[in-house]
Amino acid sequence: MAQYGKTAYWDERYTKDPEPFDWYQRYSGIRDLVAQYIKKEDNLLVAGCGNSRLSEDLYEDGYSSIANIDISRVVIDQMSDKYKEKPALTWQQMNVCSLEFPDESYDAVIGKATMDAVLCGEGSTANIAKMCSEVSRVLNANGVFFIVSYGVPDNRLNYLENDDYGWTVTVHTVPKPTVSATAVPDTKDANSVHYIYVCQKGGGVKLEEN
């Protein structure tokens, strides 16, 4: 839906409904994969944080340095106030396509549904290229961009696999929360899974997909 790419949509949404909301997955659904690629002491940026519990859950799990950005000033003000007792969590209004951080500022960047939202906006192809270029710039030489998306690899890899970004992309799948934990998800069925795209700089070893 096109409005997901508009700042005004998000400001209005968060004004009307400030309750926490997690797109696609709670932290518990991606925790093992996050731990596989991101260390607890890493300097971490959550891009497009919204009012998700992700950063709080990361903090409670031992991640000690978590910067958060979102295009919506409304939600940044809400989250800054909500978590003012947790100085390890910082909050800034910022566009992921135009990051205001120095080069190589972060060990890892997490974007949960962020890529999909950018793709809903006008000029999406150019904006995704800006997002990837900016994330690559602020990641250190061995940094990781950890993306959670509903988009299938045939589509998303067209945007992510570019030598200019200096990373190797590995694809994982996780079952959607609505799929029974006892059921074996059909990973060939795009309706039953979300996709994790791990963009790893520094010629990281490409791990087996799972």
Side-chain angles (χ1 to χ4, degrees):
M1 297 174 70
Q3 68 261 35
Y4 290 160
K6 295 183 183 297
T7 308
Y9 166 79
W10 295 108
D11 282 343
E12 182 179 356
R13 178 187 174 116
Y14 292 129
T15 300
K16 287 181 177 177
D17 186 10
E19 289 302 306
F21 182 80
D22 268 284
W23 291 87
Y24 305 163
Q25 295 278 335
R26 291 291 304 272
Y27 175 57
S28 57
I30 60 173
R31 180 179 183 271
D32 289 348
L33 279 172
V34 169
Q36 188 173 327
Y37 291 99
I38 304 173
K39 299 188 291 292
K40 297 288 173 71
E41 64 271 20
D42 278 353
N43 200 20
L44 177 59
L45 172 66
V46 177
C49 59
N51 58 10
S52 161
R53 294 184 183 88
L54 175 63
S55 295
E56 178 185 4
D57 291 342
L58 285 162
Y59 174 79
E60 296 295 341
D61 201 24
Y63 291 86
S64 55
S65 174
I66 308 169
N68 300 271
I69 63 167
D70 199 278
I71 202 167
S72 169
R73 165 65 61 191
V74 171
V75 82
I76 288 296
D77 288 346
Q78 290 173 350
M79 297 296 272
S80 181
D81 183 63
K82 180 177 181 179
Y83 293 108
K84 58 181 179 287
E85 303 302 323
K86 291 183 168 66
L89 303 178
T90 63
W91 309 90
Q92 290 177 265
Q93 191 269 333
M94 199 177 298
N95 186 338
V96 70
C97 302
S98 181
L99 297 174
E100 299 163 25
F101 302 114
D103 295 357
E104 299 190 19
S105 299
Y106 292 98
D107 300 300
V109 176
I110 296 179
K112 185 156 71 77
T114 309
M115 180 179 188
D116 299 344
V118 173
L119 281 169
C120 288
E122 294 177 9
S124 58
T125 301
N127 284 331
I128 286 294
K130 290 176 186 174
M131 177 192 79
C132 290
S133 180
E134 281 290 88
V135 169
S136 176
R137 180 182 66 78
V138 303
L139 282 173
N140 67 28
N142 295 296
V144 171
F145 187 16
F146 189 99
I147 299 166
V148 185
S149 172
Y150 71 78
V152 297
D154 283 351
N155 178 275
R156 295 301 188 259
L157 290 177
N158 291 328
Y159 299 105
L160 297 173
E161 290 187 326
N162 186 321
D163 291 343
D164 291 345
Y165 307 143
W167 57 42
T168 304
V169 186
T170 306
V171 184
H172 300 271
T173 56
V174 290
K176 289 183 178 178
T178 51
V179 176
S180 167
T182 57
V184 177
D186 178 2
T187 55
K188 298 291 187 289
D189 178 8
N191 293 318
S192 69
V193 298
H194 289 126
Y195 295 91
I196 312 293
Y197 298 96
V198 181
C199 308
Q200 198 162 27
K201 294 184 71 176
V205 177
K206 185 160 182 173
L207 303 174
E208 282 192 19
E209 297 176 7
N210 63 19

